[in-house]
Amino acid sequence: MNPVTLPSGVIYIVRPGAQPTAGTNVGQYDLLRLMSKSTTYVATNTDNKVTFTSPSTFRNTIDGAGVPEVDPSYFYVKKSVLTSATVAAAKERSYYEIEGFQEAIKKFQAFDMPDDSNYNLQGVIIVPSRAAFARDVHFNYTGLAYRNRSFVFNFQIYKTTHFDAER
């Protein structure tokens, strides 16, 4: 399937035949509509063999409501959220955003389809813990600590809305 490893260690896989023919590039400040099934893992090394253990669901719009997630803050958090935060760590983008996910999702193009359309997952992004939150303080998305956890995103970008400047 031709996985590509980025300098940060993030791996992305473009699924052949599941890309838009005239798609839209994903920009840094875009509002995404994203259908996904995403899981986090702890990478363990036993006898020099690395494996993913302790799986936990991060996002699952497929088995849940069946509609795309709109404007996920792990991709891009709005300036208004940062300025209204009362804790110093929450005033930083890295508290919310998964930088490795940002880096890889821009390698895909978005469809322009309604939320009630059937999904055809277009790729996988594997974000190792060092390219996610690593050991940093982070937003508590689901009640699970994401320190030292890697993320695996299986997704389809239903639509992206461009913003040329930070919003």
Side-chain angles (χ1 to χ4, degrees), residues 16-46:
Q19 305 309 311
T21 53
T24 306
N25 292 331
V26 175
Q28 181 174 352
Y29 306 115
D30 284 6
L31 182 151
L32 297 182
R33 300 182 88 74
L34 190 71
M35 185 70 84
S36 70
K37 185 169 185 175
S38 309
T39 307
T40 69
Y41 299 90
V42 174
T44 59
N45 186 339
T46 305

Side-chain angles (χ1 to χ4, degrees), residues 12-113:
Y12 71 92
I13 302 166
V14 177
R15 188 170 154 243
Q19 305 309 311
T21 53
T24 306
N25 292 331
V26 175
Q28 181 174 352
Y29 306 115
D30 284 6
L31 182 151
L32 297 182
R33 300 182 88 74
L34 190 71
M35 185 70 84
S36 70
K37 185 169 185 175
S38 309
T39 307
T40 69
Y41 299 90
V42 174
T44 59
N45 186 339
T46 305
D47 298 328
N48 292 323
K49 182 178 179 186
V50 177
T51 57
F52 279 150
T53 62
S54 305
S56 177
T57 299
F58 177 64
R59 291 286 191 268
N60 188 346
T61 59
I62 294 169
D63 294 336
V67 295
E69 181 175 16
V70 179
D71 203 19
S73 59
Y74 57 88
F75 168 66
Y76 174 78
V77 65
K78 294 178 220 50
K79 192 185 323 183
S80 61
V81 172
L82 300 175
T83 56
S84 66
T86 57
V87 177
K91 293 182 181 290
E92 303 296 325
R93 291 198 179 285
S94 60
Y95 183 73
Y96 304 94
E97 297 173 354
I98 300 174
E99 294 172 17
F101 177 78
Q102 281 183 352
E103 179 184 21
I105 198 77
K106 293 174 188 172
K107 305 293 183 185
F108 292 84
Q109 290 195 323
F111 289 84
D112 184 10
M113 56 196 294

